């Protein structure tokens, strides 16, 4: 997001919206992420089923631990989401209630609340904007599940499976438009503009991903730019809006936006890793869709780049002729090279850059001792230590 707002900045710091004084503090970010030691010793693709369970549980504990300092405000976000996902039409209301139940850990509103808490206070404005980013995110999930032909989301049938594709497309549209309306409920038009720009980037990233199917010449840099839009943009605007709601300068909002983009990009890289090596039972969603739909994710790109040119050309020819063995052959090649560890290391590198950026901001704003800063660091590392 390129922040170029020139109108006077409005601060929304009504006492009724400030962080609850009794909110729990978070422990030091210097503590290690609570992931079993064996996970750090070898590629996660070799984990046994019990090890995957322990890692997934560790991630969930880590995520909840990081959010403990904003727990009351997260409850306010949840209450407002339930309030906003309503309709006078019984069928639409039922579908919206179902959508609300498909929600995950609310990473994006958490980012908005934590940045606001770190740089100022959480206000009613922050909570509203946290709901906005979650509604936009939920809309993208509804549409993504249709595009990916996914049948499960959070251990439940996806919306288009539970009802039908046309209704689900329109529910996704409903969520988008409701989010834009909610974004413009305040005194400033800035949140609405930022949200619209972020949503536009998400759509552009999805379009580029769709056009990249079976494009085995896609460069890693183009792949990363696609992820920055597809997933990073919404995490970025969540951080930027949280900082803005707390009265931060536009320069600081821009830095927080960059941090969120990097976090979201690494999160998506890890998601692409999970699609190949994750546990469908733990994640509660359909896995393996990337490879089955010939999406050139980072593990695939790494595998293809490690092949001899003759082998690569032979496989592409086999795939283009529709051979049923093409997918099996590629999966075997993926397992034979360093695609798993390379993908994980790329995600770690991006998170390292993101946390360095956050610490640079902390030298002049907010400080590193603040519980919310420590939680942002923890969330960044936890985002690439998921076991689902």
């Amino acid at each position: 997001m390129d922040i170029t707002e020139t109108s006077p900045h409005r601060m929304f710091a009504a006492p009724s919206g400030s962080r609850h004084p009794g909110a729990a503090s978070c422990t030091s970010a210097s503590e290690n992420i609570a992931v079993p030691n064996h996970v750090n010793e070898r590629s996660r693709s070799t984990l046994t089923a019990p090890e995957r369970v322990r890692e997934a549980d560790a991630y969930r504990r880590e995520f909840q631990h990081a959010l403990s300092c904003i727990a009351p405000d997260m409850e306010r976000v949840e209450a407002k989401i339930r309030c906003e996902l309503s309709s006078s039409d019984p069928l639409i209301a039922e579908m919206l209630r179902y959508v609300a139940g498909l929600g995950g850990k609310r990473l994006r509103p958490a980012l908005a609340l934590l940045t606001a808490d770190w740089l100022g206070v959480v206000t009613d404005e922050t909570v509203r904007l946290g709901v906005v980013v979650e509604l936009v995110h939920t809309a993208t999930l509804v549409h993504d599940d249709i595009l990916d032909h996914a049948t499960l989301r959070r251990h439940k049938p996806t919306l288009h499976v539970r009802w039908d594709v046309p209704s689900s497309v329109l529910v996704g549209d409903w969520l988008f438009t409701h989010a834009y309306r909610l974004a413009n409920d305040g005194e400033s038009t800035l949140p609405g503009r930022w949200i619209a720009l972020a949503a536009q980037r998400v759509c552009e990233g999805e379009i580029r991903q769709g056009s990249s199917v079976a494009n085995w010449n896609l460069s890693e840099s183009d792949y990363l730019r696609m992820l920055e839009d597809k997933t990073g943009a919404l995490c970025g605007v969540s951080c930027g809006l949280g900082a803005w709601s707390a009265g931060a300068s536009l320069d600081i909002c821009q830095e927080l936006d960059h941090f969120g983009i990097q976090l979201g990009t690494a999160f998506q890289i890890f998601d692409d890793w999970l699609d190949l090596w994750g546990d469908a039972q733990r994640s509660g969603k359909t896995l393996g869709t990337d490879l089955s739909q010939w999406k050139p994710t980072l593990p695939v790109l790494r595998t293809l780049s490690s092949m001899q040119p003759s082998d690569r050309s032979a496989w592409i020819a086999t795939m283009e002729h529709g051979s049923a063995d093409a997918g099996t052959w590629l999966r075997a090649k993926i397992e034979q090279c360093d695609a798993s560890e390379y993908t994980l290391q790329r995600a770690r590198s991006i998170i390292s850059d993101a946390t360095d950026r956050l610490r640079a901001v902390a030298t002049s704003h907010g400080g590193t001792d603040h519980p919310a800063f420590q939680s942002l660091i923890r969330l960044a590392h936890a985002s690439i230590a998921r076991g689902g």
Side-chain angles (χ1 to χ4, degrees):
M1 179 177 63
D2 186 13
I3 297 175
T4 56
E5 173 73 1
T6 56
S7 60
H9 176 67
R10 300 180 186 274
M11 239 179 100
F12 297 85
S16 61
S18 60
R19 183 166 64 90
H20 294 243
S25 63
C26 305
T27 58
S28 171
S30 62
E31 296 180 8
N32 292 327
I33 302 301
V35 175
N37 288 334
H38 59 262
V39 170
N40 298 317
E41 294 171 358
R42 67 181 189 274
S43 170
R44 286 179 171 85
S45 60
T46 65
L47 294 182
T48 64
E51 289 170 346
R52 288 186 187 280
V53 170
R54 288 196 294 273
E55 187 184 41
D57 289 343
Y59 166 66
R60 291 181 178 90
R61 289 194 300 271
E62 183 66 21
F63 191 93
Q64 293 304 317
H65 195 180
L67 267 56
S68 61
C69 61
I70 53 168
D73 294 313
M74 286 298 291
E75 291 175 3
R76 294 169 61 200
V77 167
E78 285 295 333
K80 190 165 180 61
I81 288 174
R82 290 193 297 271
C83 178
E84 295 296 334
L85 291 180
S86 62
S87 172
S88 59
D89 183 285
L91 174 60
I92 298 172
E94 182 185 3
M95 295 180 77
L96 292 174
R97 284 194 298 272
Y98 191 82
V99 165
L102 295 177
K105 295 178 177 61
R106 312 299 194 201
L107 171 64
R108 289 148 192 86
L111 291 172
L113 295 178
L114 287 170
T115 52
D117 192 35
W118 175 38
L119 298 172
V121 292
V122 172
T123 66
D124 291 337
E125 181 81 356
T126 314
V127 171
R128 177 172 62 84
L129 295 176
V131 173
V132 167
V133 294
E134 187 64 14
L135 292 183
V136 172
H137 172 60
T138 304
T140 66
L141 295 183
V142 170
H143 287 169
D144 282 354
D145 286 341
I146 296 170
L147 294 171
D148 294 340
H149 307 290
T151 59
L152 287 177
R153 170 74 61 181
R154 307 294 174 192
H155 302 282
K156 297 168 65 176
T158 49
L159 194 69
H160 67 278
V161 171
R162 174 66 177 79
W163 276 273
D164 55 72
V165 169
S167 296
S168 298
V169 169
L170 292 171
V171 167
D173 293 344
W174 187 99
L175 292 165
F176 272 124
T177 54
H178 190 66
Y180 300 147
R181 195 274 298 166
L182 192 61
N184 287 291
D185 267 0
E187 297 180 34
S188 173
T189 61
L190 180 146
R193 294 199 302 280
W194 286 7
I195 283 290
L197 286 171
Q200 179 180 323
R201 288 187 64 181
V202 171
C203 293
E204 290 177 352
E206 291 286 358
I207 292 169
R208 289 203 304 278
Q209 183 176 64
S211 66
S212 72
V213 168
N215 176 13
W216 311 117
N217 293 316
L218 183 73
S219 69
E220 183 174 320
S221 60
D222 285 342
Y223 163 82
L224 292 175
R225 280 194 293 272
M226 182 173 67
L227 297 195
E228 287 175 1
D229 289 341
K230 177 177 177 285
T231 306
L234 200 52
C235 290
V237 78
S238 299
C239 295
L241 286 173
W244 176 83
S245 73
S249 70
L250 294 178
D251 286 343
I252 295 301
C253 292
Q254 182 81 71
E255 287 300 303
L256 269 294
D257 178 77
H258 288 324
F259 163 78
I261 288 173
Q262 290 177 301
L263 186 153
T265 301
F267 185 100
Q268 187 59 55
I269 290 174
F270 194 81
D271 224 42
D272 291 347
W273 181 92
L274 284 174
D275 193 70
L276 286 168
W277 291 287
D279 186 320
Q281 184 175 358
R282 299 299 298 178
S283 66
K285 65 179 182 179
T286 306
L287 298 180
T289 59
D290 291 342
L291 191 58
S292 66
Q293 295 174 20
W294 300 125
K295 292 181 180 178
T297 58
L298 189 57
V300 173
L301 294 175
R302 177 63 176 179
T303 301
L304 293 175
S305 70
S306 68
M307 289 183 189
Q308 293 294 327
S310 57
D311 290 342
R312 188 172 183 274
S313 298
W315 176 79
I316 291 175
T318 302
M319 182 275 301
E320 290 177 343
H321 281 92
S323 171
D325 296 330
T328 302
W329 188 89
L330 179 60
R331 182 59 198 257
K333 288 294 184 181
I334 289 173
E335 296 295 348
Q336 292 168 11
C337 74
D338 67 344
S340 174
E341 185 55 37
Y342 180 86
T343 302
L344 293 174
Q345 186 54 46
R346 198 71 181 88
R348 295 185 196 114
S349 176
I350 293 173
I351 286 298
S352 177
D353 289 344
T355 53
D356 286 347
R357 180 184 296 275
L358 204 64
R359 290 188 178 92
V361 173
T363 59
S364 56
H365 298 81
T368 60
D369 293 333
H370 197 289
F373 170 85
Q374 297 167 2
S375 289
L376 286 168
I377 297 292
R378 296 183 76 96
L379 278 185
H381 288 291
S383 69
I384 55 169
R386 293 171 284 142

